[in-house]
């Protein structure tokens, strides 16, 4: 998404002068020195609970065009921009986490594209690959352009164009206003 | 998490010879040339629905030690390893997505630490900052060491040590077996 500056916002850290890598290095360095903690602003995996691996894989492979780096009968991993996306049988995830889970969960994932026209065309591809439109693409109050598609397991994907955020050739995304 | 190789696994793409950046560049380049699509294996944002921004911010700031790059009265963004973590009032996320959401959602996030001893100490910090243990740390069948903590909005965080996956100085995580 893109944010307009509201009256009482606080930008707490300047956008990186050079790169997201430099930003994370700077943050981790400072924090680690101050408190002696593992302060890396890092998420290693996003794991989505799924019920049918073949159906899920079709959505990600034919919709987004992504290739797993690993899969077996209960899980597929996709190497993303600095972290891993996992799609795992929900029962296994529930057993691992030691609690039951429900849908649709209070979260969304976003994939940003490089141009406004790319939003609708990617949403169309995702629907062809088994997705379901939650909200057709339009311009949100905070700027840019976006729509939502649910994957076959009802997980929400925001497909967005946000000219204020940069995405480099490696897919690394940096905050901007 | 760490995976042992099961009998019928498929490793569909070799782990990158050089770096995750080279891996993503190679994948995106190949796919884009073949199909003319925006194939970047990229997630721009993970947005978690929250009910109390101050309570949520305390968990992420005092538990993980992370600093927002932006916040206003309804949302906080954290610049992560190549993407953004957003914490947004659930009602606003529901309105944006055009559907209601429930908890606990069928997903988890993971933060990997560099040593086995780091798992329990980080879990302790997260609990002190308002989290709740879902599963105390132990060794899963697939290897490594992990436990789960729910954030104040009941979103699951797996805190894991996985010696097979590499995490570079910028926090970029690469799959390994």
């Amino acid at each position: 998404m893109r944010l307009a500056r509201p009256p009482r916002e606080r930008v707490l850290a300047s956008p990186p002068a050079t790169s997201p890598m430099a930003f994370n290095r700077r943050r981790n360095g400072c924090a680690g020195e101050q408190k002696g903690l593992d302060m890396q602003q890092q998420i290693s995996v996003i794991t989505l609970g799924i019920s049918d691996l073949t159906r899920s894989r079709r959505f990600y492979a034919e919709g987004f065009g992504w290739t797993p780096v690993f899969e077996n009968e209960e899980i597929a991993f996709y190497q993303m921009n600095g972290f891993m996306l996992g799609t795992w049988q929900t029962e296994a995830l529930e057993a691992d986490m030691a609690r039951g889970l429900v849908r649709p969960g209070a979260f969304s994932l976003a994939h940003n594209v490089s141009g406004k026209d790319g939003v609708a065309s990617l949403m169309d591809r995702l629907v062809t690959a088994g997705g379901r439109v939650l909200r057709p693409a339009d311009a949100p109050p905070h700027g840019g352009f976006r729509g939502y598609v649910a994957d076959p397991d009802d997980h929400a994907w925001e497909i967005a164009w946000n000219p204020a955020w940069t995405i480099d050739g490696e897919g690394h995304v940096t905050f901007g206003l």
Side-chain angles (χ1 to χ4, degrees), chain A residues 105-123:
Chain A
F107 75 105
S108 73
L109 304 175
H111 177 85
N112 285 13
V113 295
S114 56
K116 184 178 179 181
D117 292 344
V119 173
S121 59
L122 177 54
M123 288 178 69

Side-chain angles (χ1 to χ4, degrees), chain A residues 106-173:
Chain A
F107 75 105
S108 73
L109 304 175
H111 177 85
N112 285 13
V113 295
S114 56
K116 184 178 179 181
D117 292 344
V119 173
S121 59
L122 177 54
M123 288 178 69
D124 288 345
R125 283 215 315 274
L126 295 174
V127 168
T128 301
R132 178 172 63 88
V133 172
L134 297 171
R135 178 187 191 126
D138 63 356
H142 45 263
F145 196 68
R146 61 87 181 87
Y148 282 90
V149 174
D151 86 353
D153 293 282
D154 220 18
H155 302 302
W157 281 90
E158 181 191 15
I159 307 303
W161 168 65
N162 176 350
W165 290 15
T166 59
I167 306 174
D168 71 15
E170 329 297 349
H172 297 140
V173 178

Side-chain angles (χ1 to χ4, degrees), chain A residues 31-174:
Chain A
E33 286 164 26
Q34 288 175 337
K35 300 185 187 176
L37 302 176
D38 182 342
M39 307 290 276
Q40 203 171 49
Q41 297 210 183
Q42 173 258 104
I43 294 177
S44 312
V45 195
I46 307 167
T47 304
L48 301 177
I50 60 165
S51 60
D52 181 330
L53 194 59
T54 302
R55 184 182 69 170
S56 172
R57 192 182 185 291
R58 175 170 170 255
F59 178 82
Y60 290 98
E62 298 179 17
F64 280 114
W66 298 343
T67 305
V69 67
F70 175 95
E71 72 178 335
N72 63 22
E73 293 155 318
E74 67 174 40
I75 198 165
F77 280 111
Y78 300 83
Q79 173 69 55
M80 305 305 295
N81 43 313
F83 62 103
M84 223 63 58
L85 171 66
T87 54
W88 199 12
Q89 296 290 352
T90 306
E91 294 75 12
L93 179 60
E94 289 174 326
D96 205 50
M97 194 187 297
R99 70 166 171 180
L101 299 169
V102 292
R103 294 185 178 82
F107 75 105
S108 73
L109 304 175
H111 177 85
N112 285 13
V113 295
S114 56
K116 184 178 179 181
D117 292 344
V119 173
S121 59
L122 177 54
M123 288 178 69
D124 288 345
R125 283 215 315 274
L126 295 174
V127 168
T128 301
R132 178 172 63 88
V133 172
L134 297 171
R135 178 187 191 126
D138 63 356
H142 45 263
F145 196 68
R146 61 87 181 87
Y148 282 90
V149 174
D151 86 353
D153 293 282
D154 220 18
H155 302 302
W157 281 90
E158 181 191 15
I159 307 303
W161 168 65
N162 176 350
W165 290 15
T166 59
I167 306 174
D168 71 15
E170 329 297 349
H172 297 140
V173 178
T174 305

Side-chain angles (χ1 to χ4, degrees), chain A residues 18-34:
Chain A
T18 51
S19 71
M21 297 70 149
F23 175 79
N24 210 349
R25 189 162 52 233
R26 192 165 64 243
R27 283 239 33 80
N28 295 330
C30 293
E33 286 164 26
Q34 288 175 337

